[in-house]
């Protein structure tokens, strides 16, 4: 059964088909968007001011002029006599004047009509109309940057010019042009070429491509280690991945590899290399490579002089695995917490008073302050009486007493628990008010003239001004 297309409605104004994307409906008829205007004054209409009369569209004013009532009380306003029928708006269709043809060789090469300066587009020394300045093949509109002058004295876009008059052969257009397309588009001006297999042109020994031995011409030359390669031969020897000057690696066997294959075959192997920290990489080790010497991963087998090696194992520490802490050198695998054995770095490591290293959590449990306000919550986390500030002297502190120690207990203050006042350094646990024993910080600290520290309230009671206007509030007399 033959296919019968659906009949589209016709526009009453122009008689052409109206499609859904451009239709405007009035009085049950469908109009083009460009035809939806007043038939008398040509005013563009919409659904609010449109009036249809016998397949003709009018604005409200023109419809009133032509079909509305006339006489006293109608028209422009009450009391105004209007007899306007809109006859002055009826315009007869005037046929457009066809411009005259120009003499041969003087007009537009496409249509032959005179070309004026306001619409002139130049190509091959001739002036085209702007509407005629198109590709002769695909009818694409051109400008001065896109047009190409063909040898047949016509103009083309670049896409049409190249298949018809461009060069042929490997590397042109999107690859090797097929014979069918060559026969279809080849012009008499294009050079005739033949396919050449460069692999069959062998070069003298040691002068050609290292992979195939063929002669390398300049158009396909890629250099590596001073030797020319064919572009299609410049691939990794192991995985055949196509290479460029960034990812190519020259191997000691005078061949080329990608970075991954080069690392597997010729890169370092052993502890600390390849997939990550602590990983022993042995991928790619073959019989001819396995005899190469490797660094022994057992660092404790190379002992260092007393006091110069790793503090944990005593082995010599080399630069590739060096970790510094308090001026001492540690192996990377030994640089872990002494209690929970968690691997550390320069951010997590804490130097303990016993010349060992700890993570922050273990350091706080072993050497951190105890009592109210410390721990995971602001509650009292002390589990035995000896950690309370009132019985500080019973604590078993690491390190001895010193003249430069904490002014309250006399013991040495380490960096992890130091609190600074104006003249002294205190333990965090000892940093409380001397009167009310309230713990202090940098926002409520007051240094007393007796060398002690106080909160603001106690400082005001002991050393603040006395009398009317001071104390608890304005106008209050306090002698506390």
């Amino acid at each position: 059964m033959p296919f019968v297309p659906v009949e589209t409605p016709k526009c009453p104004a122009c008689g052409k088909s109206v499609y859904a994307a451009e239709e405007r409906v009035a009085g049950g008829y469908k109009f083009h968007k460009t035809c939806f205007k007043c038939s008398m004054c040509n005013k563009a209409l919409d659904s609010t001011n449109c009036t249809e009369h016998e397949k003709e569209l009018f604005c409200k004013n023109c419809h009133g002029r032509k079909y509305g009532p006339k006489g006293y009380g109608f028209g422009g306003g009450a009391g105004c006599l209007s007899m306007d029928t809109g006859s002055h708006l009826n315009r007869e269709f005037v046929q457009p004047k066809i411009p005259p043809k120009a003499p041969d060789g003087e007009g537009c090469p496409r249509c032959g009509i005179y070309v004026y300066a306001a619409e002139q587009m130049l190509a091959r020394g001739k002036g085209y109309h702007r509407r005629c300045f198109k590709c002769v093949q695909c009818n694409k509109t051109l400008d001065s940057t896109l047009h190409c002058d063909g040898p047949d004295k016509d103009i083309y876009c670049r896409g049409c010019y190249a298949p018809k008059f461009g060069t042929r052969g490997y590397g042109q257009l999107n690859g090797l042009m097929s014979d069918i397309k060559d026969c279809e588009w080849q012009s008499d001006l294009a050079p005739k070429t033949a396919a050449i297999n460069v692999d069959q042109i062998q070069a003298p020994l040691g002068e050609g491509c290292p992979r195939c031995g063929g002669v390398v011409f300049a158009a396909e030359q890629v250099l590596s280690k001073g030797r020319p390669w064919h572009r299609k031969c410049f691939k990794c020897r192991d995985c055949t991945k196509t290479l460029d000057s960034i990812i190519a690696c020259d191997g000691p066997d005078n061949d080329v590899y990608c970075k991954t294959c080069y690392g597997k075959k010729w890169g370092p192997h052993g502890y600390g290399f390849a997939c990550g920290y602590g990983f022993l990489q042995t991928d790619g080790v073959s019989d001819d490579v396995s005899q190469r010497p490797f660094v022994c991963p057992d660092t404790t087998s190379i002992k260092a002089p007393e006091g110069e090696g790793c503090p944990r194992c005593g082995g010599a520490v080399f630069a590739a695995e060096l970790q510094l802490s308090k001026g001492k050198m540690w192996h990377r695998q030994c640089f872990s917490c002494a209690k929970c054995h968690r691997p550390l770095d320069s951010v997590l490591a804490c130097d303990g008073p016993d010349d060992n290293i700890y993570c922050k959590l273990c350091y706080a449990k072993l050497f951190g302050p105890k009592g109210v306000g410390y721990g995971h919550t602001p509650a009292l986390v002390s589990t035995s009486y000896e950690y309370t500030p009132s019985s500080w002297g019973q604590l078993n502190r690491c390190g001895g007493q010193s003249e430069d120690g904490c002014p309250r207990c006399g013991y040495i203050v380490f960096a992890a628990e130091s609190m600074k006042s104006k003249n002294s350094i205190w333990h965090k646990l000892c940093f409380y008010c001397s009167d009310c024993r309230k713990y202090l910080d940098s926002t409520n600290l007051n240094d007393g003239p007796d060398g002690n520290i106080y909160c603001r309230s106690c400082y005001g009671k002991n050393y603040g001004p006395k009398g009317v206007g001071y104390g608890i509030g304005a106008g209050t007399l306090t002698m506390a």
Side-chain angles (χ1 to χ4, degrees):
M1 182 177 180
F3 172 74
V4 179
V6 179
E7 185 177 357
T8 56
K10 305 298 181 181
C11 175
C14 64
K16 297 181 180 179
S17 299
V18 181
Y19 299 97
E22 56 177 351
E23 70 177 19
R24 291 290 185 270
V25 180
Y29 301 102
K30 294 183 178 180
F31 294 82
H32 292 113
K33 188 186 297 184
T34 56
C35 299
F36 203 70
K37 57 187 177 180
C38 179
S39 59
M40 291 181 63
C41 64
N42 285 333
K43 176 182 177 181
L45 304 178
D46 55 28
S47 60
T48 62
N49 61 359
C50 168
T51 304
E52 183 269 338
H53 186 88
E54 296 181 357
K55 296 186 180 182
E56 285 187 332
L57 296 179
F58 300 92
C59 64
K60 290 186 177 181
N61 289 336
C62 293
H63 186 268
R65 286 171 178 167
K66 192 167 185 178
Y67 301 105
K70 306 293 187 292
Y72 179 81
F74 296 100
C80 178
L81 182 61
S82 175
M83 299 300 292
D84 184 14
T85 60
S87 58
H88 63 284
L89 297 175
N90 291 330
R91 300 169 182 172
E92 297 180 358
F93 178 76
V94 179
Q95 290 290 339
K97 185 179 179 181
I98 300 176
K101 290 277 186 179
D104 292 340
E106 297 183 9
C108 174
R110 187 70 48 87
C111 65
I113 300 174
Y114 281 108
V115 181
Y116 299 98
E119 57 177 348
Q120 180 175 269
M121 300 292 290
L122 291 176
R124 302 183 68 96
K126 296 183 179 180
Y128 287 76
H129 292 116
R130 191 181 301 273
R131 64 179 181 275
C132 298
F133 200 65
K134 298 179 180 180
C135 175
V136 68
Q137 186 168 314
C138 66
N139 209 31
K140 178 181 179 181
T141 302
L142 305 176
D143 56 25
S144 59
T145 62
L146 298 177
H147 88 279
C148 297
D149 300 315
D152 55 355
K153 299 181 180 181
D154 220 322
I155 53 175
Y156 297 83
C157 64
R158 292 183 179 180
C160 297
Y161 181 90
K164 194 166 186 178
F165 305 106
T167 54
R168 303 300 194 273
Y170 183 80
Q172 305 295 333
L173 300 180
N174 296 326
L176 185 62
M177 181 174 286
S178 64
D179 292 337
I180 297 175
K181 196 169 184 180
D182 231 358
C183 295
E184 181 181 354
W185 295 105
Q186 182 108 354
S187 68
D188 296 334
L189 301 178
K192 304 299 188 293
T193 57
I196 299 175
N197 187 2
V198 294
D199 295 341
Q200 298 179 358
I201 308 176
Q202 294 295 315
L205 187 63
E207 297 182 7
C209 175
R211 181 83 30 104
C212 66
V215 176
V216 183
F217 298 97
E220 54 178 349
Q221 176 178 280
V222 180
L223 292 177
S224 177
K225 249 186 176 178
R227 300 184 65 185
W229 297 66
H230 290 123
R231 190 182 301 276
K232 62 180 181 181
C233 297
F234 198 60
K235 298 179 180 180
C236 176
R237 179 178 179 181
D238 289 353
C239 66
T240 66
K241 177 181 179 181
T242 303
L243 305 177
D244 55 24
S245 59
I246 299 177
I247 60 175
C249 296
D250 298 305
D253 57 351
N254 293 327
D255 217 317
V256 288
Y257 300 85
C258 64
K259 290 186 177 181
T260 303
C261 295
Y262 182 90
K264 290 180 180 179
K265 195 165 187 178
W266 310 105
H269 297 77
Y271 177 80
F273 294 102
C275 294
Y277 162 75
F279 187 88
L280 184 60
Q281 167 72 5
T282 58
D283 187 16
V285 178
S286 56
D287 295 338
D288 57 337
V289 184
S290 59
Q291 303 301 324
R292 296 192 302 169
F294 294 102
V295 178
C296 181
D298 185 11
T299 55
T300 60
S301 61
I302 306 176
K303 292 295 181 181
E306 186 69 25
E308 297 182 7
C310 176
R312 186 155 293 172
C313 66
V317 183
F318 299 97
E321 53 179 352
L322 175 66
Q323 290 286 328
L324 290 176
S325 176
K326 228 176 184 180
K328 296 182 179 180
M329 297 182 296
W330 300 68
H331 291 121
R332 190 188 298 273
Q333 61 178 353
C334 298
F335 200 66
S336 59
C337 178
K339 186 173 183 180
C340 66
H341 308 292
R342 175 187 178 185
L344 303 177
D345 54 22
S346 59
V347 178
L348 300 175
C350 295
D351 299 304
D354 55 352
D355 292 332
N356 220 327
I357 53 175
Y358 300 87
C359 64
K360 290 185 177 181
L361 185 59
C362 294
Y363 183 90
K365 290 179 180 179
L366 296 175
F367 309 108
K370 307 294 189 297
V372 179
Y374 295 98
H376 295 285
T377 64
L380 182 64
V381 297
S382 178
T383 56
S384 58
Y385 70 91
E386 68 267 13
Y387 290 110
T388 59
S390 60
S391 57
W392 174 254
Q394 301 180 16
L395 285 175
N396 183 17
R397 298 286 295 178
C398 295
Q401 293 188 349
S402 172
E403 295 180 358
D404 299 331
C406 176
R408 185 147 290 165
C409 64
Y411 284 87
I412 298 174
V413 182
F414 296 99
E417 53 178 350
S418 65
M419 298 293 289
K420 293 183 179 180
S421 64
K422 187 175 181 180
N423 300 316
S424 305
I425 300 178
W426 307 66
H427 290 114
K428 188 178 294 185
L429 187 59
C430 300
F431 203 64
Y432 57 83
C433 178
S434 299
D435 283 0
C436 65
R437 310 184 76 82
K438 175 183 177 181
Y439 280 95
L440 306 176
D441 55 26
S442 59
T443 62
N444 58 2
L445 168 67
N446 290 272
D447 294 290
D450 57 351
N452 243 323
I453 52 177
Y454 299 88
C455 64
R456 291 183 180 180
S457 180
C458 295
Y459 184 88
K461 291 178 181 179
N462 294 329
Y463 305 105
K466 305 294 189 296
V468 178
Y470 297 100
I472 301 176
T476 303
L477 181 62
T478 176
M479 299 298 293

